[in-house]
Amino acid sequence: MMNFETRTGPDLGVASPQYPTQGVPEWYRDAKLGFFVHWGLYSVPAWAVQHGDGVNIPTEDAYAWHQYAEWYGNTVRIPGSPTWERHQRLYGPGVSYEDLADRWDASAFDAGAFVGELVDAGARYIVPTTKHHEGFCLWGTGTTGFNAVRRGPRRDLIAEFHDATRRAGARFGVYYSGALDWHVSDFPAIESDTDLFRFRRNDAHFARYSAAQVDELIERFAPDVLWNDIEWPDGGKGEEDYAVAALLRRYFSRVPEGVVNDRWGVPYHGFLTREYTHIPDIVEHPWESTRGLGYSFGYNQAEDERHSLSGAALVRLLVDVVAKNGNLLINVGPAADGSIPELQRQAMREMGAWLSVNGGAVYGTRPWIRAAERSGAPRSYTRSDGRVHLHALDPVAGTIELPAELAATADARWADGTTAVLETRPDGTASAEIPAALRSAPVAVLTVAG
């Protein structure tokens, strides 16, 4: 997956616009865990080609065999693609992708219950998609009739998400597709990474349209996180009031403690984003790992437990990311009716149960002097308030090793409060036996003075 902070837009031949100076606020760095919610027209067909299990798809076919169900609106326009073939069989040649808007029934969606599941799973912030690349807006926008109030659900879904999230005491964010909107574009289907930036509108008219939509979201919802995707139209990267610099100034004026990501296509960014990417070590700048529980963000009904993270794997992913100075923005992809598929719900609840005991070793922490060890049983480190948390990633092994920097501690306790008995070694390291009750946990946490 590409890194967006290196894409800084066209050379305008003039001085760079005046961007805000806000960095990444401490509340965001403390939060550690957020939930993406990818929900849109793509949730009606809810399908993409299965990936994983040794599937090898040639690079040139990656877009025709796209792993993301939320890209259905593009993949279905590639003649002969598996998505195109399936769409013809299920809906027939006379039903376009955008016709699915009137087939979208969200009657099972209960925002309070939905958000409650995310908060119980450990979410400190929640970021629903307000408009994905398909151009369908999930709030009652005045910019287009192609929205969830006028079509399909006939409800302001973002207002419902916002109100439920605020009531639950979590931070609220919005995802917005800045430079891709297939509804107001007339380009061929995207079939390569080059096409991703070639087949999109960069004109000032579209930049005004996008800015008007984001201004609506800022004014109505004052989002704590403004999460833009696939950059911004190049025609809106100057000094104009619809350009990125002015838009961000208005955002921070409305939400002084807000935060943005790095996907604007300009020199300014907040936190870095890494999508379906393993990061090998600590990243000094605040960053965010994001992915779906399976191989897709939007719900893909073709996936099963072979393609989706278990609860234990999800916990280990969270620990790995946090130990490296990141936040995890894990995605839940609802079914069209607004329900959370059981496979996703199960993993979420397992993570929530683990965090209810071990959250002190995750929330509000910062990296230690290193994220992990290169040898021995796998373990990661976090630190907070003069203490270091050792995360045994394979507790069934029965023991955890303490490096020399921590082996002399006189205070070592497991997450349940029991004292650990350390055995020191001639090389200055130590080890502790993991209690039997913790060996079945996804990760066992030992906290020491450090």
Side-chain angles (χ1 to χ4, degrees):
M1 298 293 179
M2 66 186 67
N3 294 339
F4 281 86
E5 75 271 14
T6 60
R7 301 186 61 86
T8 55
D11 182 356
L12 301 176
V14 295
S16 177
Q18 185 66 44
Y19 293 105
T21 58
Q22 276 88 342
V24 177
E26 290 300 296
W27 76 256
Y28 175 84
R29 298 195 66 196
D30 290 342
K32 301 306 178 189
L33 178 62
F35 266 89
F36 244 167
V37 183
H38 275 62
W39 197 27
L41 300 189
Y42 44 84
S43 306
V44 177
W47 193 85
V49 176
Q50 292 180 16
H51 281 240
D53 291 334
V55 175
N56 183 21
I57 296 172
T59 301
E60 60 270 21
D61 293 330
Y63 279 81
W65 294 64
H66 211 298
Q67 72 185 61
Y68 290 170
E70 68 274 14
W71 271 72
Y72 189 103
N74 182 76
T75 316
V76 74
R77 294 191 294 129
I78 302 176
S81 70
T83 301
W84 182 89
E85 290 282 0
R86 186 176 185 275
H87 190 91
Q88 301 303 306
R89 291 195 308 272
L90 287 183
Y91 302 109
V95 177
S96 72
Y97 176 70
E98 293 193 350
D99 289 337
L100 298 178
D102 298 314
R103 302 188 182 206
W104 184 6
D105 177 6
S107 57
F109 179 59
D110 179 328
F114 192 108
V115 167
E117 287 278 1
L118 305 187
V119 171
D120 287 348
R124 293 295 174 88
Y125 59 104
I126 296 170
V127 185
T129 52
T130 64
K131 185 191 79 169
H132 209 267
H133 312 326
E134 64 192 12
F136 191 77
C137 299
L138 271 63
W139 79 100
T141 177
T143 63
T144 176
F146 196 53
N147 68 69
V149 174
R150 300 277 295 276
R151 305 276 297 273
R154 305 281 176 174
R155 296 163 64 175
D156 192 320
L157 301 174
I158 298 305
E160 294 181 38
F161 264 120
H162 168 270
D163 294 350
T165 300
R166 297 296 190 200
R167 286 195 302 268
R171 298 274 185 166
F172 180 77
V174 294
Y175 165 103
Y176 182 81
S177 177
L180 277 187
D181 186 325
W182 300 323
H183 177 67
V184 297
S185 303
D186 187 21
F187 291 109
I190 294 169
E191 298 192 58
S192 68
D193 285 350
T194 299
D195 289 349
L196 181 64
F197 298 99
R198 177 170 55 188
F199 293 156
R200 69 180 200 183
R201 289 185 61 170
N202 281 310
D203 56 280
H205 301 289
F206 179 58
R208 286 192 185 93
Y209 176 77
S210 297
Q213 292 186 337
V214 174
D215 277 331
E216 283 185 349
L217 294 170
I218 293 170
E219 182 58 32
R220 286 194 59 191
F221 305 117
D224 299 294
V225 182
L226 189 56
W227 213 104
N228 188 64
D229 204 6
I230 316 293
E231 300 190 7
W232 196 256
D234 286 349
K237 293 181 179 176
E239 292 283 7
E240 304 86 359
D241 63 356
Y242 53 83
V244 175
L247 182 68
L248 293 181
R249 289 197 296 270
R250 290 195 293 275
Y251 169 62
F252 286 118
S253 176
R254 178 81 166 89
V255 190
E257 283 296 301
V259 67
V260 303
N261 65 346
D262 59 348
R263 298 189 177 195
W264 298 86
V266 298
Y268 174 83
H269 57 257
F271 57 85
L272 308 180
T273 56
R274 295 294 182 264
E275 183 174 332
Y276 278 92
T277 303
H278 174 72
I279 301 302
D281 211 337
I282 295 171
V283 177
E284 292 302 321
H285 191 87
W287 64 284
E288 183 178 76
S289 173
T290 186
R291 59 160 293 167
L293 285 164
Y295 288 87
S296 174
F297 287 93
Y299 175 47
N300 181 3
Q301 61 182 295
E303 291 188 336
D304 56 32
E305 62 276 0
R306 296 170 299 171
H307 311 98
S308 191
L309 293 176
S310 66
L314 181 55
V315 169
R316 288 191 288 269
L317 172 63
L318 173 63
V319 168
D320 180 73
V321 168
V322 171
K324 295 169 181 174
N325 200 36
N327 283 16
L328 176 62
L329 184 64
I330 193 68
N331 180 77
V332 58
D337 66 2
S339 61
I340 299 175
E342 187 57 35
L343 184 62
Q344 299 180 45
R345 188 194 310 271
Q346 180 178 337
M348 291 162 50
R349 287 181 172 177
E350 289 180 31
M351 178 172 64
W354 185 86
L355 281 167
S356 69
V357 176
N358 299 281
V362 174
Y363 300 121
T365 64
R366 296 294 184 269
W368 189 49
I369 58 176
R370 56 184 176 274
E373 301 293 348
R374 298 186 181 277
S375 61
R379 57 205 183 278
S380 295
Y381 305 101
T382 56
R383 63 174 176 84
S384 60
D385 300 326
R387 308 186 72 77
V388 177
H389 312 285
L390 291 80
H391 300 257
L393 304 179
D394 185 21
V396 73
T399 60
I400 186 170
E401 298 176 16
L402 284 72
E405 297 94 333
L406 302 174
T409 181
D411 184 7
R413 297 179 183 274
W414 297 101
D416 63 3
T418 59
T419 300
V421 178
L422 304 185
E423 294 186 12
T424 57
R425 298 169 176 167
D427 63 0
T429 64
S431 66
E433 183 177 352
I434 299 174
L438 297 181
R439 294 182 188 181
S440 59
V443 174
V445 179
L446 178 65
T447 298
V448 304

